Amino acid sequence: MAKIQHEIEELRELIRYHNRRYYVLDDPEISDAEYDRLFQRLVALEKEYPELVTPDSPTQRVGGEPQTAFRQVKHRLPMLSLENAFNDEDIKDFDSRVRRFLGEEGPFQYTVEPKIDGLAVELVYEKGRFVVASTRGDGYTGEDVTANAKTILTIPLKLKSMSGEHPVPDLLEVRGEIYMEREAFRALNRERVARDLPPFANPRNAAAGSIRQLDPRITARRPLNMFCYGVGEFSTLTFETQYDLMLALQDWGLRVNRPHIRVCDTVEEVVAYCHRLEETRDQFAFEIDGAVIKVNRLDLQARLGEKSRSPRWATAFKFKAVQETTRIENIEVQVGRTGALTPVAHLEPVEVGGVVVRRATLHNQDEITRKDIREGDTVVVQRAGDVIPEVVKVIVSRRTGNEKPYRMPDVCPVCGANVQRKEGEAVSRCPNPACPAQVRASLRHFVSKGAMDIDGLGDKILGQLLERGMIHDEADIYGLTMDDLLKLDKIEQKAATNLMQAIRKSKQTTLARFIYALGIRHVGEHVAQLLADQFLTLERFRKASREELLSVKGIGEEIAESILSYFEDPANQELIERLLAAGITLETVVPSGPSPIEGKTFVLTGSLETLKRAEAKELIVRKGGNVSSTVSRNTDYVVVGASPGSKLEKARNLGVATIDEGELLELLEVSRG
Ligand code: IVH
């Protein structure tokens, strides 16, 4: 048996080595046939001795049962995004900002590398073993895609230093981009079309759709790939530069885009290499949508730190968006949730960078005037990443004389109220909060994916419910009955049942989603998450003062003002009460990373200053701690408030640690609310 085990282990090492030569280094040493023989031998041995199978064996990639949902994974460190630079000047500004921030710092280098157009994931390695892969999600919490990531052959299941020079850290979170090569994407689409399945719009969608498959066996058949570009949390790393870190990742068996990472000594070199990459973008086997510029020295990166969404030490130079020519059929005005009137061009459908575009935003009247956009014009439209397509310019030479100049209406096209435009603002607004378009847009927002996520409650159904007076606001949704739904046009029993279920399900949500769903101006998903992380309960958030709001990282005057004025309106307070009365319950997502109080037992005594007893208890439990009512040797902390009882004495007698409320909040990683 020991001999078999030895052979199995040797085979695994050998296969890992050749995997690395093939997938990571692009430099295979043996023929495919020879590799297959090794692999089949291992498969045969493991079949004969199933007790010797280990999760990190190269055979353990495919398979895994389909899941019904993805588990949420909280990132130990947020996965930030990058600020964008659109031209040379922006790059130079970035360089100046970095230098100004660092003060008197001599010359230093930048790394520049392709920005891969895929989706960000994080791989967690513990003692060199791959344990979890998660998507970026909202940057704070992503989805657990471990089973799927395992099927990607470029992701090593075990890290090992090939040179023997770099010990693998006990904990290492690696970040990178999962993507699909262009050729593989085309082949996949050909196959899908042949099987009457809808093709993917572009390689990024194909990659995203493939990694988010509930059945890993499907993912296994999709040609996904990964480039690593950085790290999250780690136990020990001793490298001086980003570039050395990349070399170490490669040495451990992770795939990095090494031939295209360039170390630059000056900002001029950075600019030149960014352009080189842009000019040669079509020669890459995969899509790149920019270049990422990073300060090379890790100590300088640490000193520069980060802002709320992005690090100060890096920026993304975005390549020109993909553009196409088409014609504007007509222009219509849309009324948004906040009453903003947006002119939208309806286009002759055109494919831009793999996506069919039918509409483009014209932003506002000033833009229309500046670009002299008319109905019937032939225009250049562009699409960049996820943003709404826009009209870049008019091709004036294609005018026939039949084009019609456009002026935004003076009254709201939906409710007829006189449109207002504030001094110095480009946006005109419908001032009527009861405007049906505003109400409908607010509801659309409320039920949308990032908010309450009520699947099946689309714009058409909302429209019918509003027109028939069955709902007037968000809270009314929770009073709908099956009978109500069945009265609607074109809805069948099954769809109505599903919708009822979706409505019911949406009542269990998170604080962040709920805050976002309220549609407070300037409070998008990201800000809602910051607020939820800070305040943890709706009550604390609702009562927050201006100072408390401003003390949240990432929240400035404008947002704080908007939140305060939202809560000052009794109608909004009433709406929240009715939503809570309808049974909405809010949880804060529990971090899966280590919590300092995991498994620790607390006893509370005396009255706390800012937290109610129940709140304190809830917060402790959420972070993985226990609350007990009696002090014993098993108690880890006694939290002492004003006029404590005999528990304090008992704690002292037993030598149990006592802490005050401030210390508790620190342990809970909550700042004082
Ligand atoms: S570094 C703090 N390097 O671009 C973020 N990002 O908005 C550090 N991306 O979500 C990111 N290629 O998924 C970095 N070579 C590269 C990249 C890259 C693609 C993505 C990444 C991130 C987004 C930045």
Side-chain angles (χ1 to χ4, degrees), residues 287-332:
E287 293 203 347
I288 61 177
D289 58 346
V292 181
I293 307 164
K294 302 172 186 173
V295 169
N296 196 22
R297 264 170 56 188
L298 296 175
D299 60 334
L300 298 186
Q301 286 188 5
R303 265 178 57 199
L304 284 154
E306 60 219 22
K307 295 182 284 184
S308 77
R309 276 164 176 285
S310 52
R312 284 196 196 84
W313 47 264
T315 196
F317 172 71
K318 292 295 277 266
F319 295 164
K320 299 259 172 342
V322 193
Q323 301 186 336
E324 271 308 333
T325 305
T326 186
R327 208 179 69 91
I328 296 183
E329 288 172 340
N330 66 317
I331 298 175
E332 266 179 26

Side-chain angles (χ1 to χ4, degrees), residues 80-82 113-116 119-120 136 177 229 292 294 311:
L80 303 171
S81 53
L82 292 173
E113 66 199 63
K115 183 167 182 294
I116 317 293
L119 69 148
R136 175 172 186 270
E177 201 83 351
Y229 56 59
V292 181
K294 302 172 186 173

Side-chain angles (χ1 to χ4, degrees), residues 605-635:
T605 177
S607 50
L608 303 181
E609 210 179 302
T610 64
L611 292 174
K612 290 205 192 85
R613 186 63 75 90
E615 262 177 343
K617 205 169 155 178
E618 193 187 332
L619 294 179
I620 291 170
V621 172
R622 268 199 206 144
K623 295 258 175 178
N626 311 306
V627 179
S628 157
S629 51
T630 51
V631 180
S632 73
R633 284 187 199 287
N634 296 330
T635 311

Side-chain angles (χ1 to χ4, degrees), residues 26-79:
D26 232 346
D27 182 21
E29 232 174 45
I30 56 173
S31 68
D32 288 3
E34 209 170 332
Y35 176 88
D36 284 345
R37 275 195 293 278
L38 292 173
F39 200 87
Q40 287 317 321
R41 171 80 183 140
L42 178 60
V43 169
L45 284 175
E46 287 185 345
K47 199 166 163 200
E48 205 174 325
Y49 303 93
E51 66 277 19
L52 296 181
V53 176
T54 58
D56 63 358
S57 169
T59 58
Q60 297 303 298
R61 289 188 181 268
V62 247
E65 286 303 301
Q67 299 162 277
T68 48
F70 292 107
R71 198 175 62 90
Q72 301 261 302
V73 178
K74 184 129 182 169
H75 303 299
R76 287 186 177 88
L77 298 176
M79 291 180 76

Side-chain angles (χ1 to χ4, degrees), residues 75 79-80 118-124 130 132-137 142-146 148-149 152 155 173-179 207-208 211-212 224-232:
H75 303 299
M79 291 180 76
L80 303 171
L119 69 148
V121 294
E122 178 171 83
L123 311 175
V124 183
F130 171 59
V132 175
S134 55
T135 59
R136 175 172 186 270
E143 290 180 313
D144 184 337
V145 290
T146 312
N148 295 339
I152 301 176
I155 297 181
E173 293 181 335
V174 184
R175 289 168 177 188
E177 201 83 351
I178 290 207
Y179 68 92
I211 195 73
R212 292 193 68 264
L224 292 175
N225 217 333
M226 177 167 182
F227 273 126
C228 301
Y229 56 59
V231 294

